[in-house]
Amino acid sequence: MLQTTPFAEDTIVALATPSGTGAIAVIRLSGPDAIKICNKVFFGKNLEKQTSHTVHFGTIRENDVIVDEVLATVFVAPHSYTRENSVEVSCHASPYIIQKLINLFIKNGARTAKPGEFTLRAFLNGQLDLSQAEAVADLIASRTEASHNMALRQLRGGFSNELKVLRQQLIDFAALIELELDFSEEDVEFANRPQLKALINSIQSVIRKLISSFDLGNAIKNGIPVVISGKPNVGKSTLLNALLNEERAIVSEIAGTTRDTIEDEINIGGINFRFIDTAGIRETSDKIEAIGVEKAYEKIRQSAVVIYLFDPEETDAKELGEIVLELSKHTSAESILLVANKLDKGNEQEWKKRYKELNGVLFISARDKVHLDQFTETLLHKAHVDQLNNDETMISNVRHLEALQKTNEALDDTLHLMDQPFGGELLAFEIKRALHHLGEITGDISNEDLLDSIFTRFCIGK
Ligand code: GDP
């Protein structure tokens, strides 16, 4: 259960900014003695006498020797991230100064924070629920507008507020059913069955919507996988480079799981796409049965969109039809995007006629950047991210997905039991099961293992 009084008796310290040399670093202290410990080595105003949310200039000294000139921001409990007394010391970011200051704070009574411990304290002190704490990690890791929006929405309460209200209503019903059990000999019904059914239905409709948002939420968080295939020299690299320049995105090459796959991350329309160029697929157009192609097909199955790029001078409609047929065995027809490249060498009308049997072929010139806007529009559409609603709640966390699925199952069983003649004991049990899984998401139900597994994924200082 959430605690309303600070649970920790010790004060923790850690660097809150990335390590290494820089202009400024922030060292964060939190705990009952945070202000007192900082004040012992801070020369300037008496920090213990300052009001919350104030910044003070001073020097930090060791045995009267100045270590650095700093700014100390004071947060008085409960008005801080952790709800404890906290100080954020902004110093010059030299690894020497940082180490020296942290050591000084430790000498004066603080201890090094464990990974995620600031956020863990925020959670244990009731500042954040568990899904919000997880959103802090997602927010810091987000690299695109869409993933940033999603994390921010979750941090601000997102779906957990909605779930909390429904959970409370279910708790009230569970209490009434328990009460019926106490009066079991008298055959009374305190819990209004039609109302209970209506509540379960409305909880399930929220839950199912969240469950179905997972695929997209997860894709937004981790990048939408797109396979780009086609024979050698059709212009795949040229197309990816053109997209990169258009979007002025940061490129990163991720080493694939196999040596023959290369991934390029490109931010298109605020969404991170992971373009997977599989060497194996290059063979597919010629030798469908080629060894190694299976690996490529696995990538296709995992992708949201499969782009097949071709040069009309080399590929006629019949061959293209065969390729589509083959690809359709591994992915849905809607996720295939046929793109004819090198439009500068041909005639759009004539090409359109040639491929008229095949729906939705795009004609571009990667080199001359012709029709690239059409291409990105179609890509966003096929990945189902063209009409993203910023207010829509999405889940992106496997832990939440599993808890929601288990809640849904328990509620299915509850509804089923309500249609049976036997008594309330099983019903009470199933409702409790649903409440348990629902509570796992917000952290109303948690245990040390779960908290460990969540917070150790944070960095120290978060
Ligand atoms: P990849 O093997 O599929 O990655 O193909 P590349 O991107 O390396 O391109 C192969 C060749 O086709 C290069 O010489 C490119 O300049 C050329 N190329 C790419 N796109 C176009 C295009 O739109 N028009 C023309 N004429 N040439 C292109």
Side-chain angles (χ1 to χ4, degrees):
M1 285 305 288
L2 295 185
Q3 302 195 354
T4 45
T5 49
F7 86 106
E9 287 172 1
D10 50 357
T11 296
I12 51 176
V13 62
L15 177 66
T17 44
S19 56
T21 312
I24 292 168
V26 176
I27 295 169
R28 196 188 222 178
L29 290 133
S30 182
D33 296 331
I35 303 171
K36 192 166 130 197
I37 290 171
C38 187
N39 200 39
K40 282 192 205 168
V41 292
F42 180 87
F43 287 75
K45 282 188 188 153
N46 182 346
L47 296 179
E48 290 188 84
K49 294 204 170 134
Q50 306 308 317
T51 48
S52 190
H53 295 70
T54 51
V55 187
H56 307 279
F57 173 78
T59 54
I60 291 199
R61 301 183 196 191
E62 184 179 32
N63 306 325
D64 287 337
V65 179
I66 294 178
V67 182
D68 197 11
E69 291 185 338
V70 302
L71 287 176
T73 313
V74 173
F75 302 91
V76 180
H79 305 292
S80 73
Y81 177 62
T82 53
R83 289 206 174 167
E84 301 173 329
N85 281 337
S86 300
V87 184
E88 287 178 9
V89 176
S90 306
C91 61
H92 293 100
S94 103
Y96 172 77
I97 293 176
I98 294 165
Q99 203 49 53
K100 194 93 185 154
L101 294 188
I102 290 178
N103 284 344
L104 259 180
F105 294 134
I106 289 172
K107 240 197 235 166
N108 283 282
R111 70 158 170 84
T112 316
K114 296 192 203 103
E117 199 171 2
F118 291 93
T119 310
L120 174 65
R121 287 185 173 200
F123 162 67
L124 290 171
N125 291 330
Q127 173 84 327
L128 300 167
D129 73 27
L130 205 49
S131 75
Q132 288 172 312
E134 288 167 302
V136 173
D138 288 346
L139 190 66
I140 295 168
S142 64
R143 282 174 296 164
T144 59
E145 192 180 338
S147 58
H148 169 262
N149 279 343
M150 190 166 66
L152 200 61
R153 229 174 299 141
Q154 192 177 326
L155 181 60
R156 292 206 169 145
F159 58 87
S160 56
N161 284 342
E162 199 170 355
L163 290 183
K164 265 182 207 159
V165 173
L166 294 169
R167 184 168 182 269
Q168 190 52 51
Q169 291 174 9
L170 201 56
I171 287 175
D172 297 343
F173 263 106
L176 291 177
I177 293 196
E178 294 282 340
L179 205 60
E180 283 176 16
L181 294 180
D182 292 343
F183 289 87
S184 56
E185 266 122 64
E186 293 164 41
D187 198 23
V188 285
E189 252 188 32
F190 294 117
N192 178 315
R193 296 303 191 260
Q195 270 178 20
L196 178 58
K197 266 192 183 172
L199 174 66
I200 291 176
N201 285 331
S202 62
I203 296 177
Q204 281 193 309
S205 85
V206 173
I207 286 177
R208 285 183 186 140
K209 217 168 99 201
L210 289 174
I211 290 174
S212 65
S213 76
F214 175 77
D215 282 345
L216 187 56
N218 187 49
I220 288 173
K221 182 156 114 183
N222 296 315
I224 297 179
V226 173
V227 158
I228 176 158
S229 59
K231 295 176 192 174
N233 286 323
V234 291
K236 296 182 294 295
S237 321
T238 311
L239 175 60
L240 291 181
N241 281 329
L243 291 172
L244 278 173
N245 294 338
E246 285 280 291
E247 304 293 331
R248 288 185 196 83
I250 309 152
V251 204
S252 63
E253 272 204 358
I254 303 171
T257 42
T258 54
R259 246 178 299 151
D260 52 0
T261 39
I262 297 172
E263 288 195 16
D264 275 314
E265 281 192 25
I266 306 181
N267 177 341
I268 297 174
I271 311 273
N272 192 21
F273 281 88
R274 289 193 285 117
F275 285 90
I276 303 150
D277 181 352
T278 56
I281 285 171
R282 297 210 181 105
E283 318 278 300
T284 57
S285 49
D286 296 336
K287 293 183 273 168
I288 300 282
E289 308 80 3
I291 303 165
V293 169
E294 190 40 47
K295 239 186 260 167
Y297 282 144
E298 197 183 314
K299 291 283 171 197
I300 288 182
R301 286 192 287 272
Q302 293 163 354
S303 284
V305 183
V306 178
I307 298 168
Y308 187 79
L309 195 68
F310 63 97
D311 179 346
E313 282 189 355
E314 291 175 4
T315 309
D316 60 22
K318 182 169 169 284
E319 190 188 348
L320 197 58
E322 285 167 4
I323 289 163
V324 171
L325 206 64
E326 186 57 32
L327 291 176
S328 308
K329 289 183 192 159
H330 307 276
T331 187
S332 69
E334 303 83 66
S335 47
I336 301 172
L337 175 53
L338 298 174
V339 183
N341 189 27
K342 311 195 182 182
L343 184 57
D344 52 284
K345 291 198 299 182
N347 176 296
E348 192 168 348
Q349 292 314 319
E350 193 220 312
W351 282 7
K352 270 190 180 153
K353 229 187 274 162
R354 194 192 305 176
Y355 301 107
K356 65 177 186 306
E357 306 293 325
L358 293 145
N359 281 333
V361 181
L362 292 183
F363 303 96
I364 65 162
S365 168
R367 192 195 64 186
D368 299 347
K369 300 188 177 155
V370 176
H371 294 341
L372 286 190
D373 44 354
Q374 255 182 39
F375 171 81
T376 50
E377 246 170 58
T378 314
L379 183 65
L380 290 166
H381 179 69
K382 287 203 178 267
H384 306 292
V385 287
D386 53 339
Q387 284 172 350
L388 264 193
N389 178 354
N390 270 351
D391 299 328
E392 201 169 314
T393 320
M394 273 187 278
I395 59 160
S396 60
N397 186 308
V398 182
R399 193 183 75 76
H400 298 166
L401 175 70
E402 285 172 357
L404 288 168
Q405 283 167 334
K406 285 182 191 153
T407 310
N408 197 36
E409 278 166 27
L411 291 176
D412 274 343
D413 291 349
T414 310
L415 283 178
H416 181 67
L417 279 174
M418 285 175 71
D419 293 332
Q420 309 292 325
F422 33 77
E425 235 157 86
L426 277 174
L427 197 59
F429 174 80
E430 287 304 335
I431 294 180
K432 268 193 209 149
R433 191 157 73 96
L435 284 171
H436 175 88
H437 294 305
L438 216 45
E440 278 178 335
I441 298 173
T442 51
D444 290 317
I445 306 281
S446 64
N447 60 48
E448 223 164 286
D449 288 345
L450 174 66
L451 295 183
D452 262 5
S453 81
I454 291 173
F455 288 98
T456 48
R457 272 182 277 147
F458 280 65
C459 303
I460 292 176
K462 267 187 218 161

